[in-house]
Amino acid sequence: MEVFAACHVHSQWSYDGSWSLDALSARFSLRGYRLLMMTEHDRGFTADRLKQYREACSQASSNKILVMPGIEYSDATNRVHVLVWGPVPFLGEGLPTSEMLEAVHAANGLAVLAHPSRREAWKSFEPSWADRLLGIEVWNRKYDGWAPSQTAPALLGSTGAIPFVGLDFHTERQSFPLGMALDVHEDVSEETVLDSLRSRRCYARAFRLPLSQIKVRRALPVLNVAERSRRMGASIARYWRGPKK
C-alpha cells in the first residue's frame, strides 16, 4: 500500500512553529496526506519534553493520518541540520554532526540531511556521514523555494542516499505539492513506516509525480525561472519596506 507523507513539518513544539499538532493533522489530512513526518527543532527539548511530545503526536493522530514524531538536530554553528526519526532518545543540542549520526545509528534511528543549500551546509559535508544517512533533501520548500536544490545532486551522487523532499513547514508560505510516497506493507503505524524507510521503499514526489518523470523534468526550467522571479520580487519588497525598526 502506498501512502503519501508530508515530510519536515514543524509545530508549536518548535521554538519557531505556529501550528498546533491537531491543526496540522486536520490540514494535511484534508489535502490527501496519510502521514505527517514531524521534525521539531532540538532547541529547548529535553528527554522529558520528547516523551511528552511523542504522546502529543499520538493524540493528534487518527485513523486518517499518522503524526510521527521526529527531531531536527543542528550542530553548534547552526549550519548543518539533520532530520531524525525512530526510537532515538533525546541526544542534546548543538552536537557535532558525526557524533549525533553515530548515536542515531546506535539507537536504530534514521537520519536525513536537511536543506544542504542553506548557509552552504553542503560545504561542511564529511564523507564519513554517508553510511549514516538514509537520505538527503533535494528539494526543501522553505529554502529552495519553487525549484529543487542546486547543490544536493552532487551529494546524492557521492553517497547513494535516497532523495528526499521536505516542506520545512512553519507557516502557509511553505505550502507546496511535495511529499514522500512510502510503500507500507501493513497498517500505517510508526513501526511500519520505519520499516518502509529502512527498506528504502520511499520515493520523492513533486505534484504527486516522481521527480524523474519526464513531466516533472520538463517543468523544472520553468520552475527555476519562477523561483528566481519570486526571490527577486521578495528582495524588492524587502527593499521598499526598509530596515526593521
Side-chain angles (χ1 to χ4, degrees):
M1 174 178 62
E2 184 174 276
V3 300
F4 199 52
C7 185
H8 198 160
V9 180
H10 294 271
S11 75
Q12 291 172 340
W13 286 79
S14 287
Y15 69 89
D16 57 355
S18 59
W19 287 58
S20 69
L21 288 171
D22 287 337
L24 288 168
S25 174
R27 179 194 189 279
F28 281 92
S29 178
L30 285 174
R31 285 158 176 77
Y33 290 90
R34 183 63 180 84
L35 173 64
L36 268 180
M37 297 176 67
M38 303 298 299
T39 50
E40 311 293 0
H41 291 295
D42 58 2
R43 186 191 302 181
F45 260 80
T46 63
D48 286 341
R49 183 169 171 79
L50 178 58
K51 180 180 179 181
Q52 295 167 9
Y53 174 64
R54 292 188 65 87
E55 292 172 352
C57 287
S58 178
Q59 292 172 5
S61 299
S62 69
N63 60 356
K64 295 182 178 179
I65 190 166
L66 173 69
V67 182
M68 191 168 98
I71 297 291
E72 180 174 0
Y73 285 96
S74 310
D75 64 2
T77 66
N78 194 31
R79 189 181 194 187
V80 178
H81 290 203
V82 177
L83 314 175
V84 172
W85 299 279
V88 183
F90 183 65
L91 303 175
E93 299 181 34
L95 295 176
T97 301
S98 294
E99 178 183 331
M100 182 272 298
L101 287 173
E102 286 301 323
V104 171
H105 177 72
N108 201 26
L110 298 170
V112 170
L113 181 68
H115 40 60
S117 297
R118 174 189 174 273
R119 297 183 61 181
E120 297 187 315
W122 62 275
K123 292 184 177 180
S124 297
F125 188 86
E126 298 180 11
S128 61
W129 300 352
D131 290 341
R132 299 296 184 244
L133 286 171
L134 169 69
I136 295 173
E137 275 190 337
V138 299
W139 195 339
N140 177 286
R141 168 59 187 89
K142 183 178 180 182
Y143 290 102
D144 298 322
W146 295 349
S149 167
Q150 299 297 307
T151 59
L155 291 181
L156 279 176
S158 65
T159 63
I162 295 172
F164 265 68
V165 292
L167 296 173
D168 209 344
F169 187 93
H170 293 76
T171 72
E172 282 283 359
R173 289 194 300 272
Q174 283 85 53
S175 295
F176 203 72
L178 294 175
M180 296 297 297
L182 279 69
D183 179 12
V184 179
H185 286 173
E186 302 176 36
D187 291 340
V188 179
S189 67
E190 184 173 0
E191 290 72 25
T192 59
V193 168
L194 290 172
D195 176 68
S196 173
L197 294 170
R198 291 188 182 107
S199 301
R200 302 171 72 90
R201 302 193 309 271
C202 49
Y203 316 97
R205 297 284 188 265
F207 310 100
R208 299 284 179 136
L209 299 172
L211 293 186
S212 60
Q213 195 167 100
I214 190 167
K215 289 181 180 179
V216 176
R217 293 204 307 270
R218 285 176 174 172
L220 291 183
V222 176
L223 291 171
N224 279 309
V225 171
E227 173 57 16
R228 288 196 293 271
S229 298
R230 185 189 72 85
R231 289 178 184 262
M232 182 178 296
S235 178
I236 292 171
R238 286 194 298 270
Y239 173 81
W240 284 110
R241 283 198 302 266
K244 293 182 180 179
K245 296 181 179 179

